[in-house]
Amino acid sequence: MHSDLEARGLTEFALKDRSRFIQVFRGVWVEADPSSRVLCPPWADQKWLQQQVRLSALLLLHPHVIGCSLTAAALYGLPLPSRRKDFDTHVISGDRGLRIRRKAVQLHRGSGFDITEFYNLPLISATDLFFELAPLISEDDLIALGDAAISRQNSGPLTSLDQLREKAAASHYLKARKSVRRALSLIRETVDSPRETWLRLWIIANGFPEPEVHPEVKCSTVSATLRPDLGYPDIKLAIEYEGDHHRTSSYQFGVDIERRQLLEAEGWVVLRVSKRTDMDTFKHILATYLG
């Protein structure tokens, strides 16, 4: 900010050097090659850092706003459909007199929400965020977000299914009530990824019984407990979703082979699905086991 220039030994002319400084908002610049370290989660990428910089810069101008909506979801590392991702900075405030007229900033109005300090950033709580986003995304996307929020994906768990249910029950006016109710009935703990959520919901949508998430399989061969992504313990059928890292990582590839062999040694059938799978064919294969 301009008030910091003299203290830092800088001039307004120096700020025009784009090789040294980048303007985030009017009146706020950051170093193009910063020497200071930023506290961030281990999974953070460049997009996370961009969101962190923009929210931090906005807080210098408006110290009492809170990160919310798509910005909070991105900073928490929660999954969002690609069509709902944007680069605007979303903040919320209960101050009715506050006005923010800045490019790519959306000010939301609200009160009565909980605030979480997440890597030094004030964000609306993951519980409140779930209900804030409910009217904006599809039911399946809301389930994926809920699965991630209560699991160990990225920095989780950020909330719990009990907290989400309690919030829903206590809300007299609940937006997207139908979507919220369905989501709360289908959110499951310990889900590893959004694609795992997608596969489980695909199975249900195609008329099959809901598979168990990470069923425990006692393995006598190596005295271990295996937990396939999805499964039907009563018929010993496991279903694994394989992302690209299963193919590109030699270590993961080896782990996958060993786990499949151990499951098969216990009498389980293992079906594998990836983004390249023909789901019509998979549907017929699954029907041979589930009827």
Side-chain angles (χ1 to χ4, degrees), residues 133-149:
L133 291 177
L136 304 180
I137 60 180
S138 72
E139 290 181 5
D140 284 1
D141 290 329
L142 188 62
I143 294 166
L145 186 142
D147 278 353

Side-chain angles (χ1 to χ4, degrees), residues 109-235:
R109 305 289 183 182
S111 59
F113 50 83
D114 292 326
I115 302 171
T116 299
E117 283 289 326
F118 187 78
Y119 287 89
N120 291 340
L121 296 169
L123 304 178
I124 189 172
S125 73
T127 301
D128 289 322
L129 177 64
F130 175 85
F131 294 97
E132 183 188 21
L133 291 177
L136 304 180
I137 60 180
S138 72
E139 290 181 5
D140 284 1
D141 290 329
L142 188 62
I143 294 166
L145 186 142
D147 278 353
I150 70 169
S151 74
R152 294 185 179 275
Q153 293 181 41
N154 290 340
S155 298
L158 301 168
T159 183
S160 69
L161 187 53
D162 285 343
Q163 286 177 284
L164 294 174
R165 286 173 173 165
E166 289 171 7
K167 176 80 174 181
S171 299
H172 299 295
Y173 176 68
L174 193 62
K175 293 181 179 179
R177 184 178 294 274
K178 181 181 177 182
S179 294
V180 167
R181 285 178 173 173
R182 179 173 181 266
L184 293 179
S185 72
L186 286 171
I187 290 172
R188 300 290 180 261
E189 295 178 332
T190 75
V191 176
D192 285 337
S193 72
R195 295 305 291 172
E196 189 178 301
T197 299
W198 168 83
L199 179 57
R200 176 167 53 89
L201 296 179
W202 181 92
I203 291 170
I204 295 169
N206 280 273
F208 298 109
E210 180 181 354
E212 186 176 327
V213 175
H214 295 161
E216 290 191 358
V217 181
K218 301 294 183 182
C219 179
S220 57
T221 306
V222 292
S223 298
T225 299
L226 305 175
R227 294 178 176 83
D229 292 340
L230 302 168
Y232 298 91
D234 54 331
I235 60 172

Side-chain angles (χ1 to χ4, degrees), residues 24-25 47-59 62 65-72 74-75 85-92 100 102-108 121-123 132:
V24 185
F25 296 113
K47 290 182 179 179
W48 188 94
L49 290 171
Q50 289 172 352
Q51 291 279 8
Q52 188 271 348
V53 166
R54 286 182 58 82
L55 181 55
S56 297
L58 192 60
L59 286 166
H62 306 282
V65 297
I66 308 299
C68 70
S69 190
L70 303 178
T71 294
L75 289 168
K85 293 176 182 177
D86 64 28
F87 296 98
D88 287 359
T89 300
H90 295 258
V91 293
I92 192 168
I100 300 179
R102 293 181 181 274
K103 184 179 179 180
V105 175
Q106 294 194 35
L107 174 62
H108 302 247
L121 296 169
L123 304 178
E132 183 188 21

